[in-house]
Amino acid sequence: MDYKQIASEILEAIGGKENVSAAAHCATRLRLVLKDESLVDEKKLEEIDAVKGTFSTAGQYQIIIGAGTVNNVHREFVQLTGIEEMSKDEVKAEGNKKMNPIQRFVKMLSDIFVPIIPAIVAGGLLMGIHNLLTSEDLFFDGQSIIDVYPQIADLAAMVNTFANAAFVFLPVLIGFSAAKRFGGNAYLGAAMGMIMVHPDLLNGWGYGGAVVDGEIPVWNILGFEIEKIGYQGTVLPVLAAAFILAKVEQFFRRVVPSALDNLLTPLLTIFITGVLTFTVVGPLMRQSGHLVTDGLVFLYETAGFVGGGLFGLLYAPIVITGMHHSFIAVETQLLADIARTGGSFVFPVAAMSNVAQGAAALAVIVVTANAKMKSIASASGISALLGITEPAMFGVNLKLRYPFYAAIIGAGVSSAYVTLMKVLSIALGPAGLPGVIAIRPDSMMHFLIGLAIAFAVSFAMTIVLAKRAAKKEAKAA
């Protein structure tokens, strides 16, 4: 490949070097911050053989090139523009300046929750394995696997312990990530999370029962009673605590003499944040979290399959805006409070949407004569079925438009079905075909039927809409 030629063609298509503020690259994409994205010539970009798709998000214009090629193109691109090489984080910071307040808030949630997703996914999928081992009527009539093979009962118990850890100590993970995001010491954030789930406190999941029994333990300090309640399975309280901790720490870093900084700042930060958390912030945020969760569950149960279908229809457009990152916080709360919620209804809808996008991309192979598009559609379509939709959505479906319309129709129909059948997930996982292990055992069959509906409707609708588009083009000619 002539990487310099590719970089030169890309530069010309995006409006020249005067239009580039910053540039970096990740494993597959050239990440640019442009002064004016309206100057981009999409048609020219599409005609470049190395370019497999483009999209704009979070203030960055991203060009999909592919692994092994993008780094070479980026090197030539930097030389042509004369700008300094920047890291992904530096380009993100530059792109953030172009975002509105809502986009910044969503990105903040994304920055906090995305790093802890692997731990939650691991725990959730282990929970799914535990359920497969212990659920009756799944493989044997009236019996579970461990009923039939009691010698693996302790294996199931061990898996359950591994599965619960991430959720029992969720405030520690969130405290670490959130404190870092808010500009505080991540380890102080983790310590605050540990305090909130300390074994000396009443377990947060037993709070409701303790209220009914009137047996809530308290600290009695100078006549003031402070409830000794843990925050297991909560999200909002630890987010608020991490924010306060970061601001308190920043204040003391400024005012405490450097000779005493390492001694007094951590001490005062933890003590003040801890007191505020257990007296004011924690109880208020705990109730707010319950209200948010109960409101979402109420909406899910009240709107029924109509609401689920509408959510599925809108899910892919929401992904385009980047707002879907805010769902991570919602899902985390639903899963952390699974005893009350039963699981997350967001994940099944996301899986329907992803498979629908993959099916639409694969259908393009049938209806297009463009060899480059066939190649992109085949690889990206399979990727979307496995839960990675970015190449299919931006490289194929949005570019041709009609596959995208077909995909959101398929997502809407299938999401209505899984909502009607009360399909819930017990974990975060790959939102596609492999995601079946994250679904409650009693819902797995309906989840698979939903995926089949998403694939069939989207594939068929893509072919139908392609024929209509061809007829319109023929008439116009």
Side-chain angles (χ1 to χ4, degrees):
M1 282 189 178
D2 187 341
Y3 300 117
K4 186 172 184 178
Q5 179 63 27
I6 294 170
S8 177
E9 290 175 359
I10 289 174
L11 185 60
E12 183 182 350
I14 62 174
K17 64 181 181 181
E18 296 80 10
N19 195 33
V20 182
S21 295
H25 72 89
C26 58
T28 60
R29 285 160 285 159
L30 190 62
R31 295 168 174 253
L32 309 174
V33 178
L34 304 180
K35 296 175 184 176
D36 185 357
E37 291 187 7
S38 66
L39 297 179
V40 175
D41 188 331
E42 293 279 357
K43 190 174 180 181
K44 271 189 178 181
L45 275 176
E46 291 173 11
E47 291 172 352
I48 300 172
D49 289 337
V51 174
K52 296 179 173 58
T54 63
F55 64 98
S56 178
T57 183
Q60 297 179 49
Y61 192 83
Q62 303 194 26
I63 302 173
I64 304 170
I65 296 175
T69 303
V70 66
N71 53 323
N72 293 311
V73 173
H74 172 261
R75 184 179 61 249
E76 298 294 341
F77 186 88
V78 167
Q79 291 181 0
L80 288 172
T81 57
I83 61 175
E84 294 181 4
E85 289 203 29
M86 302 176 74
S87 68
K88 287 189 294 182
D89 290 338
E90 289 173 325
V91 170
K92 282 182 181 179
E94 190 70 22
N96 289 347
K97 297 175 183 178
K98 301 178 67 177
M99 297 166 68
N100 61 44
I102 294 176
Q103 290 173 322
R104 288 196 186 101
F105 176 74
V106 171
K107 187 177 184 302
M108 177 200 73
L109 291 177
S110 174
D111 290 344
I112 292 171
F113 285 97
V114 167
I116 67 174
I117 283 179
I120 298 174
V121 168
L125 294 182
L126 283 169
M127 193 178 296
I129 293 172
H130 175 262
N131 286 342
L132 289 176
L133 294 172
T134 59
S135 295
E136 296 180 354
D137 297 314
L138 194 59
F139 298 102
F140 305 98
D141 290 338
Q143 292 182 300
S144 66
I145 292 177
I146 62 171
D147 289 333
V148 177
Y149 303 103
Q151 62 269 31
I152 63 170
D154 282 346
L155 173 63
M158 183 176 70
V159 169
N160 189 45
T161 300
F162 294 173
N164 287 332
F167 296 98
V168 170
F169 298 104
L170 183 63
V172 180
L173 297 175
I174 297 177
F176 182 94
S177 186
K180 182 178 180 181
R181 173 60 181 78
F182 293 137
N185 184 297
Y187 295 96
L188 288 179
M192 192 66 238
M194 294 173 193
I195 291 170
M196 296 173 74
V197 293
H198 196 285
D200 281 354
L201 305 173
L202 173 68
N203 191 297
W205 283 302
Y207 179 64
V211 171
V212 174
D213 297 336
E215 298 178 351
I216 299 178
V218 297
W219 286 296
N220 194 316
I221 302 174
L222 301 176
F224 293 98
E225 291 189 344
I226 303 172
E227 293 183 343
K228 296 169 59 176
I229 310 297
Y231 287 87
Q232 289 86 353
T234 62
V235 172
L236 290 184
V238 69
L239 282 177
F243 178 80
I244 293 170
L245 179 139
K247 299 310 172 186
V248 170
E249 182 194 357
Q250 289 167 9
F251 170 76
F252 284 119
R253 294 288 183 199
R254 291 195 302 268
V255 301
V256 172
S258 58
L260 299 174
D261 184 42
N262 286 336
L263 178 67
L264 292 182
T265 297
L267 166 66
L268 295 172
T269 298
I270 286 291
F271 182 75
I272 292 172
T273 305
V275 171
L276 290 174
T277 296
F278 283 94
T279 55
V280 181
V281 177
L284 181 63
M285 289 295 102
R286 185 205 302 275
Q287 190 58 36
S288 298
H290 287 331
L291 289 174
V292 170
T293 303
D294 291 344
L296 290 168
V297 173
F298 174 79
L299 182 64
Y300 169 73
E301 293 178 346
T302 303
F305 73 93
V306 176
L310 185 60
F311 186 23
L313 190 73
L314 296 175
Y315 190 86
I318 291 171
V319 170
I320 295 172
T321 68
M323 293 288 287
H324 65 299
H325 290 301
S326 63
F327 296 152
I328 301 172
V330 174
E331 284 196 272
T332 303
Q333 181 64 67
L334 289 170
L335 295 173
D337 205 7
I338 199 167
R340 294 171 64 241
T341 63
S344 170
F345 55 86
V346 178
F347 178 84
V349 171
M352 298 304 118
S353 179
N354 289 352
V355 168
Q357 292 291 331
L362 291 174
V364 168
I365 301 173
V366 178
V367 299
T368 187
N370 187 304
K372 179 184 176 182
M373 183 57 71
K374 281 180 182 284
S375 175
I376 296 172
S378 61
S380 63
I382 294 172
S383 173
L385 296 182
L386 299 176
I388 308 299
T389 59
E390 189 180 88
M393 188 183 298
F394 295 105
V396 180
N397 298 346
L398 280 171
K399 188 175 290 186
L400 299 177
R401 291 187 176 84
Y402 63 83
F404 184 75
Y405 301 146
I408 63 174
I409 292 171
V413 174
S414 55
S415 295
Y417 175 80
V418 295
T419 304
L420 180 65
M421 296 296 112
K422 303 292 185 183
V423 175
L424 297 171
S425 73
I426 56 173
L428 292 177
L433 297 179
V436 65
I437 195 173
I439 302 299
R440 284 174 45 160
D442 58 349
S443 300
M444 284 182 175
M445 186 55 66
H446 291 301
F447 179 76
L448 292 173
I449 293 172
L451 293 181
I453 293 171
F455 189 96
V457 172
S458 303
F459 196 95
M461 286 299 300
T462 300
I463 294 174
V464 170
L465 293 179
K467 289 180 179 178
R468 290 186 60 184
K471 286 181 181 179
K472 284 184 179 180
E473 289 179 5
K475 286 183 180 179

